[in-house]
């Protein structure tokens, strides 16, 4: 082969490449087309899996090695170039041994020498390259299949933040075509706002910074946006890609977790609803204050409905029988409402206040009942912006509409059946609580009337009693028979008893009116104690009263008469409620600056569950003492007196074992 022939040049170039390991074997050949003989070198024969023959190899035998699929194309190409001296090249498969193929590239050129057609060419074994190409194409196909079928959206973002690839899932998830998305930075298209509604500048975006800072982000939850503007809760993974140490791209995988998030939100909302319902139910049933109940119900239902503001209008009838409306607000300041006065009997409100039923309107401005009334023809100017509207009547057990709960939202269609049901649930609980509060108000009113009567009656009784006592004392001093004197003495005793009852009743009304006055002075408690024991002993012949007390004086700063009143009351009770016993023990203890007095009897005792009640007004434990008379106010007055002296009063007792009544008072430092 000549050094500058085409084949030689090609050969040298290829050989060079071969040495660089770019190609496999390279062989050369000469084809005598007239004789149909191929003269190939040893390498060529090796490439074709043929024995080397110095005299050449018949073309047919040579061609038999070319795979059937490629042979015709190879022949056609050779024929095509038979006269034009143009170099041509072709790739085809060679069956070296049965079933074993390799890929070759043949480069050749034809020449006519003395009427003989000669082809000279080289053949390169390109199996390695073909295998690599095949593997690559397989890999690409596989990648394509994976990205096409992935349920996650996949984006490839270049170093400038522009999208260079997106898969079908990404198109479906975000609504953009690739043409649209590649035009602007990806961040500006799908990630432009923070979840709280603020604009999201690209320089604050960690996804964008991932490549710059070479950080991977895993399972990052975020909010992306669809082309139509609605938000998508997503979980994304972000991986920067480097080539030769240079940042080239960011792979972003995005999963739409909106359904999951919505589900979580529903669960959370339901838990919140339950807890609100639970607390509101409990607190309003415990509350008897009207305004408190109204406020709690308004707050709870406003929260439950997600309303921007809620109001509870409530019909009240006052003591004079006049009807007026109370209301509470949630989510809006009172000023926002005050200037509009109470809701009037317009078509919109009529549905609620007549008890017809619930009104739930997606857009009140489009409701047929709306805007029918002068002067406003709709909402007055400056009214809270109500678009979504929900109103639920609150109906008492008697069937009377006692009020209505109203909710508003500036956006349309914010209230659903669920909200309606929730409010109706609370409304029925509220109705019960309000009925109770009303009953309680009525009881309070009756009580006040009763107190007023007791005050008046005892006052009226006191004047004639004082006169009777005076006349009796005059009579006592006048000359009369022994029998009469005895009658007069008995009458005076009974009148004294009556006077003390009337005084007790007067004390009760004074306490109720907050007018029980104390006259404080310093005195020795022991003196009062001894006097009280003396008075109690004087009017009783059944019991002996023992006193166990220290010798030193016990100086207190108190109302002498009132303390005596407490002592006499406790001692008299001890005697009265121990009809079968004959002693009462009084013990006085001093601990530090505190005095504790215990009055012990051995009588009928008091059941544990009743002990807290006996200090209440008019409370008596009747079943144990059906024959012992009393008004049930002595302990009530005693407790008030001790409380007012900053002391404590209590009882320890067991049925049938007797009772000990204790009280404490502070001593003056001596
Ligand atoms: P009254 O004795 O007039 O009924 P009190 O206020 O003094 O009113 O007492 C209230 C109730 O407490 C009595 O009705 C009685 O049931 C009970 N009680 C008071 N003292 C005793 C006592 N020492 N032993 C048993 N029960 C008592």
């Amino acid at each position: 082969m000549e050094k500058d022939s085409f084949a030689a040049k090609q050969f040298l170039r290829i050989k060079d490449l071969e040495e660089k390991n770019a190609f496999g074997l390279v062989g050369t050949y000469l084809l005598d087309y007239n004789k149909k003989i191929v003269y190939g070198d040893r390498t060529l024969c090796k490439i074709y899996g043929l024995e080397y023959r110095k005299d050449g190899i018949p073309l047919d035998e040579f061609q038999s090695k070319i795979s059937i699929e490629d042979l015709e194309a190879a022949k056609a190409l050779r024929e095509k170039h038979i006269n034009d001296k143009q170099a041509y090249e072709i790739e085809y498969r060679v069956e070296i041994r049965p079933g074993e193929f390799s890929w070759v590239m043949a480069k050749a050129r034809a020449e006519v020498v003395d009427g003989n057609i000669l082809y000279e060419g080289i053949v390169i074994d390109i199996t390695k390259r073909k295998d690599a190409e095949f593997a690559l194409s397989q890999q690409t196909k596989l990648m394509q299949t994976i990205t096409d079928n992935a349920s996650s959206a996949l984006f490839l973002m270049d170093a400038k933040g522009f999208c260079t690839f997106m898969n079908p899932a990404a198109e479906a998830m975000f609504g953009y075509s690739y043409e649209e998305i590649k035009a602007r930075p990806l961040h500006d298209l799908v990630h432009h706002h923070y979840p709280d509604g603020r604009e999201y500048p690209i320089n604050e975006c960690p996804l964008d910074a991932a490549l710059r800072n070479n950080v991977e982000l895993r399972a990052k939850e975020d909010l992306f946006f669809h082309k139509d503007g609605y938000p998508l809760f997503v979980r994304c993974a972000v991986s920067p890609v480097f080539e030769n140490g240079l940042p080239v791209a960011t792979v972003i995988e995005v999963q739409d977790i909106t359904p999951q998030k919505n589900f979580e939100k529903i669960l959370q909302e339901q838990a919140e609803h339950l807890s609100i319902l639970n607390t509101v139910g409990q607190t309003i049933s415990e509350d008897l204050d009207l305004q408190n109940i109204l406020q709690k119900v308004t707050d709870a239902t406003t929260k439950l409905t997600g309303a921007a503001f809620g109001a509870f209008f409530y019909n009240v009838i006052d003591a004079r029988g006049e009807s007026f409306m109370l209301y509470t607000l949630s989510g809006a300041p009172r000023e926002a409402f005050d200037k509009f006065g109470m809701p009037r009997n317009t078509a919109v409100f009529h549905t609620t206040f007549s008890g017809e039923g619930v009104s739930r309107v997606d857009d009140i401005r489009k409701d047929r009942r709306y805007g029918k009334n002068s002067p406003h023809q709709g909402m007055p100017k400056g009214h809270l912006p109500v678009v979504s509207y929900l109103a639920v009547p609150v109906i008492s057990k008697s069937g009377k509409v006692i009020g209505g709960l109203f909710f508003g939202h500036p956006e349309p269609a914010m209230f659903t059946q669920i909200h309606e049901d929730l409010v109706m649930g609370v409304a029925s609980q509220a109705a019960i609580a309000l009925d109770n509060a009303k009953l309680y108000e009525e009881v309070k009113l009756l009580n006040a009337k009763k107190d007023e009567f007791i005050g008046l009656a005892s006052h009226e009784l006191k004047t004639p009693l004082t006169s009777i006592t005076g006349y009796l004392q005059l009579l006592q001093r006048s000359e009369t028979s022994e029998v009469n004197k005895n009658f007069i003495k008995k009458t005076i005793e009974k009148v004294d008893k009556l006077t003390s009852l009337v005084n007790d009743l007067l004390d009760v009304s004074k306490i109720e009116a907050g007018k029980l006055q104390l006259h404080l002075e310093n005195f020795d408690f022991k003196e009062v104690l001894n006097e009280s024991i003396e008075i109690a002993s004087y009017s009783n012949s059944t019991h002996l009263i023992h006193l166990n007390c220290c010798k030193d004086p016990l100086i207190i700063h108190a109302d002498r008469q009132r303390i005596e009143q407490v002592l006499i009351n406790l001692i008299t009770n001890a005697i009265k409620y121990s009809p079968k016993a004959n002693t009462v023990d009084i013990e006085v203890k001093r601990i530090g600056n505190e005095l504790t007095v215990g009055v012990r009897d051995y009588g009928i005792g008091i059941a544990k569950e009743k002990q807290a009640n006996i200090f209440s007004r008019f409370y008596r434990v009747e079943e144990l003492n059906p024959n012992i008379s009393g008004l049930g106010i002595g302990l009530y007055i005693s407790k008030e007196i001790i409380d007012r002296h900053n002391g404590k009063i209590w009882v320890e007792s067991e049925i049938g074992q007797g009772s000990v009544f204790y009280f404490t008072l502070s001593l003056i430092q001596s």
Side-chain angles (χ1 to χ4, degrees):
M1 195 178 7
E2 287 175 46
K3 267 248 178 265
D4 58 346
S5 73
F6 168 78
K9 277 188 205 147
Q10 294 293 331
F11 181 79
L12 284 174
R13 211 166 71 79
I14 301 295
K15 228 18 196 177
D16 184 41
L17 285 172
E18 189 188 16
E19 268 155 31
K20 286 181 184 153
N21 212 6
F23 293 108
L25 300 170
V26 181
T28 60
Y29 71 90
L30 192 71
L31 162 63
D32 184 334
Y33 195 62
N34 297 54
K35 289 191 190 148
K36 304 277 192 281
I37 299 280
V38 178
Y39 301 93
D41 63 14
R42 285 176 190 278
T43 317
L44 185 98
C45 292
K46 195 172 168 195
I47 291 172
Y48 281 79
L50 293 164
E51 279 291 314
Y52 170 70
R53 272 173 267 168
K54 213 166 69 194
D55 308 330
I57 298 164
L59 181 60
D60 279 350
E61 192 184 339
F62 196 82
Q63 286 186 159
S64 71
K65 285 291 191 181
I66 298 177
S67 92
I68 301 168
E69 286 112 319
D70 303 333
L71 182 60
E72 288 314 311
K75 279 186 185 168
L77 196 68
R78 189 174 61 208
E79 295 300 321
K80 192 177 157 205
H81 292 285
I82 205 162
N83 287 316
D84 67 2
K85 293 188 183 175
Q86 290 291 313
Y88 65 90
E89 68 178 56
I90 184 168
E91 290 177 2
Y92 52 78
R93 278 158 287 185
V94 172
E95 192 169 10
I96 321 169
R97 278 170 285 280
E100 189 188 328
F101 289 90
S102 61
W103 271 97
V104 301
M105 183 207 272
K107 289 172 176 253
R109 197 176 61 162
E111 224 165 330
V112 184
V113 181
D114 300 334
N116 284 330
I117 302 165
L118 295 175
Y119 285 87
E120 62 167 335
I122 61 163
V123 170
I124 312 158
D125 183 344
I126 56 166
T127 311
K128 250 196 215 165
R129 195 194 84 197
K130 277 286 181 189
D131 282 352
E133 273 176 15
F134 180 72
L136 191 66
S137 86
Q138 286 300 101
Q139 182 112 8
T140 314
K141 257 193 222 154
L142 186 67
M143 283 298 293
Q144 187 77 31
T145 315
I146 291 171
T147 57
D148 282 359
N149 295 311
S151 59
S152 304
L154 297 168
F155 292 103
L156 205 62
M157 193 168 77
D158 68 13
K160 290 193 190 111
F162 285 73
C163 176
T164 54
F165 167 83
M166 78 195 284
N167 69 344
E171 274 181 47
M173 203 180 285
F174 292 95
Y176 288 105
S177 69
Y178 178 65
E179 284 309 307
E180 290 169 314
I181 214 148
K182 70 176 189 187
R184 287 172 58 195
L186 189 58
H187 175 90
D188 293 353
L189 292 167
V190 299
H191 202 200
H192 39 73
H193 281 84
Y194 278 110
D196 64 9
R198 278 179 300 129
E199 262 192 47
Y200 200 156
I202 192 164
N203 57 6
E204 290 175 14
C205 174
L207 276 59
D208 238 76
L211 186 61
R212 256 194 323 278
N213 304 331
N214 191 11
V215 282
E216 288 214 350
L217 303 174
R218 292 265 153 247
K220 181 178 166 23
E221 290 196 0
D222 211 330
L223 197 75
F224 280 17
F225 293 87
H226 187 270
K227 183 185 170 187
D228 294 342
Y230 61 81
L232 298 163
F233 286 102
V234 298
R235 180 176 300 134
C236 49
V238 178
S239 321
V241 180
F242 279 72
E243 244 174 52
N244 302 325
L246 291 174
V248 285
T250 316
V251 181
I252 305 171
E253 185 206 333
V254 187
Q255 272 173 291
D256 183 1
I257 54 165
T258 312
Q260 181 191 329
K261 278 279 160 190
N262 285 343
F263 184 63
E264 278 170 19
K265 210 172 128 202
I266 290 170
L267 279 184
Q268 199 184 338
E269 260 174 24
Q270 279 179 350
E272 234 165 67
H273 286 171
L274 276 180
S275 118
I276 295 175
L277 284 177
N278 219 345
T279 11
V280 75
Q282 213 170 351
T283 57
I284 64 173
S285 63
E286 282 164 3
D287 209 323
L288 287 170
D289 182 77
L290 204 64
Q291 197 69 29
N292 271 354
I293 296 174
L294 294 177
Q295 191 64 57
K296 281 176 187 166
V297 170
T298 319
D299 288 344
T301 45
T302 305
K303 257 197 222 157
L304 284 174
T305 52
F309 22 78
F312 194 161
F313 288 93
Y314 178 70
N315 286 312
V316 198
I317 295 174
D318 68 10
R320 286 187 297 277
E322 281 169 26
S323 153
F324 64 104
M325 215 174 233
L326 272 182
Y327 74 95
T328 44
L329 281 180
S330 196
R334 227 177 153 83
E335 307 84 71
F337 249 72
D338 269 350
K339 55 179 180 250
F340 304 118
M342 294 298 138
R344 296 164 311 132
N345 200 8
T346 56
V348 170
F349 293 124
H350 181 76
T351 319
T352 314
F353 287 124
S354 65
E356 239 172 71
V358 175
S359 307
R360 177 158 58 88
V361 188
D362 283 346
D363 189 338
I364 190 71
R365 298 164 305 182
K366 294 184 186 144
D367 194 84
R368 64 184 164 76
R369 294 165 296 188
Y370 179 78
K372 294 270 188 295
N373 294 80
S374 289
H376 304 300
Q377 312 295 350
M379 262 174 278
K381 232 176 143 196
H383 193 285
L384 289 168
V386 178
V387 175
S388 292
Y389 173 81
L390 174 65
V392 177
V394 179
I395 303 172
S396 136
K397 219 163 61 193
S398 65
K400 209 174 129 240
V401 180
I402 47 182
L405 279 159
F406 297 84
F407 306 95
H409 200 287
E411 303 283 323
M414 294 306 287
F415 303 128
T416 63
Q417 184 66 45
I418 294 174
H419 297 132
E420 194 180 310
D421 294 346
L422 285 169
V423 177
M424 277 168 66
V426 178
S428 61
Q429 287 187 37
I432 298 171
L434 290 170
D435 280 349
N436 286 345
K438 208 165 129 202
L439 284 177
Y440 181 71
E441 285 295 317
E442 282 168 13
V443 169
K444 258 188 13 194
L445 217 70
L446 286 175
N447 248 332
K449 280 197 174 146
K450 185 185 69 189
D451 285 343
E452 204 182 335
F453 171 76
I454 291 172
L456 263 170
S458 39
H459 223 86
E460 291 301 313
L461 286 169
K462 218 180 145 148
T463 328
L465 266 178
T466 319
S467 307
I468 294 171
T469 315
Y471 288 124
L472 283 171
Q473 277 163 358
L474 281 178
L475 259 182
Q476 203 173 25
R477 272 181 241 140
S478 65
E479 284 296 319
T480 183
S481 67
E482 275 310 304
V483 181
N484 280 353
K485 273 193 177 158
N486 200 23
F487 283 156
I488 294 167
K489 188 181 160 240
K490 289 243 159 75
T491 314
I492 288 178
E493 272 172 32
K494 295 295 167 196
V495 170
D496 281 351
K497 176 89 184 124
L498 187 58
T499 310
S500 112
L501 279 174
V502 169
N503 279 338
D504 277 357
L505 282 174
L506 258 180
D507 284 347
V508 170
S509 68
K510 277 185 201 157
I511 292 170
E512 284 306 304
K515 285 182 184 155
L516 186 81
Q517 280 178 353
L518 295 184
H519 304 285
L520 301 176
E521 58 182 314
N522 288 356
F523 60 91
D524 185 353
F525 175 75
K526 276 167 64 183
E527 280 172 30
V528 178
L529 182 60
N530 287 326
E531 279 165 29
S532 306
I533 292 172
E534 207 173 303
I535 296 169
S537 307
Y538 177 68
S539 52
N540 124 76
S541 51
T542 49
H543 291 64
L544 261 180
I545 303 166
H546 296 294
L547 173 64
N548 181 4
C549 182
C550 57
K551 293 249 154 14
D552 306 329
L554 298 165
I555 309 297
I556 57 171
H557 184 67
D559 184 320
R560 194 182 182 110
Q561 249 180 331
R562 292 294 180 192
I563 297 300
E564 188 180 280
Q565 192 179 349
V566 174
L567 281 166
I568 292 178
N569 185 28
L570 295 185
I571 299 168
T572 329
N573 274 352
I575 295 168
K576 196 160 87 169
Y577 295 103
S578 62
K580 290 184 185 147
N582 54 15
T583 40
V584 170
D585 292 327
I586 301 177
E587 191 173 38
V588 181
K589 265 191 198 153
R590 174 190 184 146
I591 300 167
N593 287 324
E594 201 175 65
L595 184 72
T596 306
V597 184
V599 179
R600 182 187 300 272
D601 68 57
Y602 303 91
I604 58 174
I606 308 159
K608 285 268 173 302
E609 66 276 12
K610 307 270 168 71
Q611 290 177 8
N613 295 330
I614 57 169
F615 296 97
S616 316
R617 201 156 45 126
F618 307 122
Y619 186 89
R620 307 198 69 230
V621 188
E622 306 268 57
E623 63 273 17
L624 281 177
N625 53 3
N627 303 319
I628 307 171
S629 70
L631 290 178
I633 52 179
L635 286 179
Y636 170 72
I637 298 170
S638 302
K639 178 166 163 50
E640 173 74 13
I641 294 170
I642 296 300
D643 282 352
R644 293 278 301 276
H645 282 85
N646 299 322
K648 279 181 297 202
I649 183 164
W650 72 97
V651 65
E652 287 170 12
S653 178
E654 246 169 76
I655 288 192
Q657 303 290 310
S659 316
V660 194
F661 280 82
Y662 293 98
F663 68 88
T664 63
L665 288 171
S666 295
L667 286 164
I668 298 279
Q669 298 272 53
S670 47

